[in-house]
Amino acid sequence: MNLVKEKLKSSKPTIGTWMQIPNPIVAEILAANGYDWVTVDLEHAGFSLQSLPDIFRAIQIRGALPFARVAQNHPKDIKQALDAGARGIIVPMIESADQVKNFIRWSSYPPEGNRGVGYSNANLFGKYFEDYSKEINADLVRVIQIENVKAVQEIDSILSIKGIDAMMVGPYDLSGSMGLTGQFEHPNFLEVVDKLSKAAEKNGVCMGTHVIHPDFSKLKNEIVNGKKFIAYSTDAILLNSKATINFNDL
């Protein structure tokens, strides 16, 4: 069992980060800094399919697990990320139980699902196919993102589907769907997040979030408040936060 899966099953927090700069050196640097996982953002960043194996390997050699946030909940996107070597899949914009069922089916080899079976980078083009195909269904970390207020009305139905390791709030899209883009301290937004947290606890699903801007006090607060799957900032935001300088102060 991979470390992230083990932590989530034990209700222990697991902390990763988000990658949007399509470069294996960036991936290696991020993974070497103590994160459990690094998520490659295939929804909003410019990663090519052929670049993924090198980036996933760079993450793994520094001790983190390679995750992919796919562009959409679609069998092609999920299959390509898995075949490239992803050990965790995050799907955006989940709004119904049927979408969750599809995600689980598309990310699982038969008989549990209908993921296409073939030689790929994930099994070194057949060299490790037997071992990989036997363990990946159970070992894969599956995370759904709740990013629209419409999903909140269906949350108990969504979380009733077995096989999901964590539910992650997409704060910008969720707040945007409420007409409150980026207003994370607004009472209405906090009320929705609280409702999601209670639903996750009731259904035995680990709650997750994204701490967008690097702030250890905010990270600690999210852990105290029961978050278990936490993305801490992004590569570009971390770079911006350290690169900014006011030359007028020199």
Side-chain angles (χ1 to χ4, degrees):
M1 184 182 295
N2 70 49
L3 175 64
V4 176
K5 192 100 169 176
E6 187 175 346
K7 282 187 174 183
L8 292 172
K9 283 185 175 294
S10 302
S11 292
K12 297 178 181 178
T14 176
I15 299 168
T17 191
W18 219 252
M19 181 175 175
Q20 293 188 303
I21 301 172
N23 188 290
I25 297 174
V26 173
E28 191 171 349
I29 291 171
L30 290 173
N33 277 282
Y35 296 104
D36 293 331
W37 44 273
V38 176
T39 293
V40 176
D41 187 356
L42 303 180
E43 183 181 16
H44 292 299
F47 293 89
S48 66
L49 183 60
Q50 59 265 36
S51 73
L52 292 182
D54 285 341
I55 289 170
F56 288 156
R57 276 193 294 270
I59 293 169
Q60 284 187 296
I61 64 174
R62 294 303 178 189
L65 280 178
F67 280 36
R69 197 262 294 273
V70 293
Q72 57 183 329
N73 187 28
H74 189 278
K76 179 181 178 182
D77 296 66
I78 293 169
K79 177 170 60 179
Q80 288 180 332
L82 288 173
D83 284 350
R87 305 294 293 194
I89 296 289
I90 302 172
V91 291
M93 296 295 181
I94 290 294
E95 296 177 8
S96 72
D98 284 342
Q99 290 177 332
V100 180
K101 291 176 184 178
N102 285 336
F103 170 35
I104 294 170
R105 184 168 69 249
W106 294 333
S107 62
S108 304
Y109 280 137
E112 287 85 358
N114 58 11
R115 174 188 170 189
V117 181
Y119 289 174
S120 66
N121 182 78
N123 53 63
L124 198 58
F125 298 95
K127 184 175 179 65
Y128 303 119
F129 176 77
E130 185 174 352
D131 289 341
Y132 174 81
S133 61
K134 285 180 179 178
E135 55 86 16
I136 190 60
N137 279 3
D139 199 51
L140 182 67
V141 179
R142 296 173 177 86
V143 180
I144 60 172
Q145 283 192 292
I146 302 300
E147 301 184 275
N148 193 290
V149 69
K150 292 185 294 184
V152 180
Q153 310 307 318
E154 303 293 330
I155 195 61
D156 283 320
S157 175
I158 289 170
L159 296 181
S160 71
I161 307 304
K162 303 302 181 185
I164 297 303
D165 295 291
M167 172 188 72
M168 183 180 184
V169 172
Y172 274 102
D173 280 314
L174 180 58
S175 62
S177 76
M178 300 172 65
L180 301 169
T181 303
Q183 298 182 49
F184 304 141
E185 300 304 319
H186 193 284
N188 292 349
F189 179 77
L190 293 174
E191 182 181 353
V192 166
V193 172
D194 183 61
K195 181 176 180 178
L196 293 172
S197 295
K198 289 177 179 176
E201 183 177 3
K202 182 175 75 172
N203 288 278
V205 176
C206 291
M207 181 71 173
T209 192
H210 196 158
V211 177
I212 304 294
H213 297 284
D215 181 339
F216 278 117
S217 64
K218 175 69 172 175
L219 176 61
K220 290 178 180 178
N221 189 55
E222 293 290 6
I223 293 172
V224 169
N225 288 334
K227 304 300 192 303
K228 304 301 182 186
F229 185 87
I230 306 171
Y232 187 68
S233 199
T234 75
D235 49 4
I237 291 174
L238 289 166
L239 180 60
N240 271 324
S241 70
K242 295 300 182 182
T244 300
I245 185 172
N246 188 346
F247 290 98
N248 293 325
D249 292 338
L250 294 177

